[in-house]
Amino acid sequence: MMNEILKLNNITFTYAPEQEEVKNAVEDVSFTVNEGEWIAIVGHNGSGKSTLAKIINGLLFTEQGTVEVMQKLMNEENLWDIRSQMGMVFQNPDNQFVGATVQDDVAFALENNGVPHEEMVARVHEALAQVKMEQFLDHEPQHLSGGQKQRVAIAGALALKPRLLILDEATSMLDPQGRKEVLATVRKLREDTGLTVLSITHDLEEAILADRLLFMNGGQKFAEGTPKEIFDLGDQLIELGLDLPFPIKMSKLLMAQGVSLQGNAMSEEELVNDIWISNFKK
Ligand SMILES: Nc1ncnc2c1ncn2[C@@H]1O[C@H](COP(=O)(O)OP(=O)(O)O)[C@@H](O)[C@H]1O
Ligand SMILES: [Mg+2]
């Protein structure tokens, strides 16, 4: 049986419970994440994605619904223990630094958790090596590029040895190069360690890499499935304020122009292959 690392059961959340006319930020959302999976949550602005992330991380409490982490019901008593098994990286790379140097910064949460000095030093080095930033140990965070800052933020989360890494739009303020760096880092980490990743993203090229997508709309789970299943919703996605990833959009446009294609490419490489096989290969 698959190992469930996270389970949300009928979560409903409102920021203003006393005001009846205020819409729920999250409404009756249930889903499960298995150990080692990469789940992406997509949906337009205000669809409840960050609220969900904060509920999972125990930063917000729900009145309705429950959260199970590693088969344990999250409550006020085990919250700290559970939270120490999750790493979270937020959107703005400049708001995530507390240390004067890269290594101080990565060490910060470990220090707070009372990790002994020697182990702390080892873990800081290991985490920075995992994101390929070990040569920046003594650098000041503010002088790093956006992509480097987010990799350090990921190292800060990894140093805690989390079972689950939550990225809330962690690449959205980065330039294409920075985005690439961070994504490559996350992919490599998953290959090497089997880390479970929950990434909230606007970037459909990022979402398409996930094992499974959760599509949020107006606080509700609108759909859940493999990237292929979700992007097959096509026009429905566009109506709900999401775009389609480049290879899918390109396939559709080409087919609309009469180019013969199988039309199921999920990456640029697959698109090139599809064009080749459907048109030129004898
Ligand atoms: N701190 C807050 N106080 C009141 N309402 C909020 C707060 N944060 C978010 N909201 C509202 O909750 C809804 C969901 O927001 P959010 O979870 O941030 O969406 P997303 O991350 O998908 O953009 C939105 O209607 C938003 O305006
Ligand atoms: Mg958000």
Side-chain angles (χ1 to χ4, degrees):
M1 206 191 93
M2 292 254 212
N3 218 354
E4 281 173 11
I5 199 163
L6 176 70
K7 192 161 185 240
L8 267 60
N9 307 301
N10 308 96
I11 296 287
T12 294
F13 182 87
T14 172
Y15 283 97
E18 66 287 354
Q19 287 169 264
E20 269 175 30
E21 70 278 15
V22 172
K23 229 179 127 283
N24 292 328
V26 169
E27 203 167 286
D28 198 24
V29 171
S30 301
F31 69 91
T32 303
V33 179
N34 294 314
E35 182 122 50
E37 266 192 309
W38 179 340
I39 302 282
I41 304 183
V42 297
H44 60 72
N45 269 334
S47 59
K49 305 181 300 294
S50 292
T51 305
L52 268 183
K54 288 176 191 156
I55 290 168
I56 293 166
N57 200 30
L59 292 168
L60 292 174
F61 275 105
T62 58
E63 293 199 359
Q64 289 175 59
T66 54
V67 180
E68 290 170 57
V69 181
M70 287 157 250
Q71 282 116 44
K72 266 186 277 173
L73 203 61
M74 184 149 82
N75 57 37
E76 276 170 61
E77 266 123 63
N78 62 19
L79 173 66
W80 288 97
D81 185 37
I82 285 180
R83 202 186 275 168
S84 72
Q85 316 221 32
M86 293 189 222
M88 192 143 163
V89 178
F90 294 96
Q91 182 171 49
N92 189 339
D94 292 318
N95 291 346
Q96 313 208 37
F97 288 101
V98 283
T101 64
V102 165
Q103 63 176 327
D104 284 354
D105 196 79
V106 175
F108 182 75
L110 297 179
E111 228 161 6
N112 277 351
N113 283 344
V115 174
H117 185 76
E118 243 173 63
E119 190 188 335
M120 185 168 84
V121 172
R123 282 215 216 167
V124 167
H125 281 253
E126 191 192 347
L128 284 169
Q130 284 180 309
V131 301
K132 297 208 167 54
M133 288 294 288
E134 69 267 55
Q135 69 276 40
F136 291 89
L137 275 173
D138 294 314
H139 285 232
E140 293 172 23
Q142 66 266 33
H143 295 142
L144 303 175
S145 72
Q148 290 172 328
K149 285 177 185 169
Q150 287 302 61
R151 279 151 63 200
V152 172
I154 291 174
L158 291 177
L160 293 164
K161 300 206 176 284
R163 306 270 298 271
L164 175 66
L165 181 66
I166 303 172
L167 307 167
D168 188 357
E169 308 263 6
T171 61
S172 67
M173 290 177 79
L174 304 179
D175 58 22
Q177 178 57 31
R179 198 171 288 178
K180 247 197 199 146
E181 281 172 25
V182 170
L183 271 184
T185 301
V186 175
R187 285 181 91 162
K188 184 82 178 46
L189 269 173
R190 285 202 61 230
E191 278 169 28
D192 294 349
T193 66
L195 184 71
T196 311
V197 177
L198 185 103
S199 76
I200 294 172
T201 183
H202 263 105
D203 182 0
L204 299 175
E205 322 301 331
E206 179 178 331
I208 210 167
L209 298 171
D211 298 317
R212 207 145 49 86
L213 296 187
L214 203 75
F215 178 12
M216 293 290 295
N217 185 51
Q220 295 177 326
K221 183 172 87 175
F222 180 78
E224 180 181 347
T226 62
K228 169 108 180 66
E229 285 165 348
I230 297 298
F231 293 120
D232 274 351
L233 296 171
D235 293 342
Q236 239 180 321
L237 291 186
I238 294 164
E239 274 160 36
L240 295 175
L242 272 197
D243 203 355
L244 291 172
F246 173 77
I248 296 176
K249 206 159 40 174
M250 195 68 196
S251 296
K252 281 181 181 288
L253 287 170
L254 287 170
M255 287 191 286
Q257 294 295 316
V259 176
S260 119
L261 283 182
Q262 289 175 343
N264 53 9
M266 299 294 276
S267 67
E268 285 176 35
E269 202 185 343
E270 286 175 15
L271 176 60
V272 171
N273 273 334
D274 192 3
I275 295 171
W276 171 247
I277 287 165
S278 306
N279 295 278
F280 302 108
K281 207 174 171 202
K282 295 265 151 60

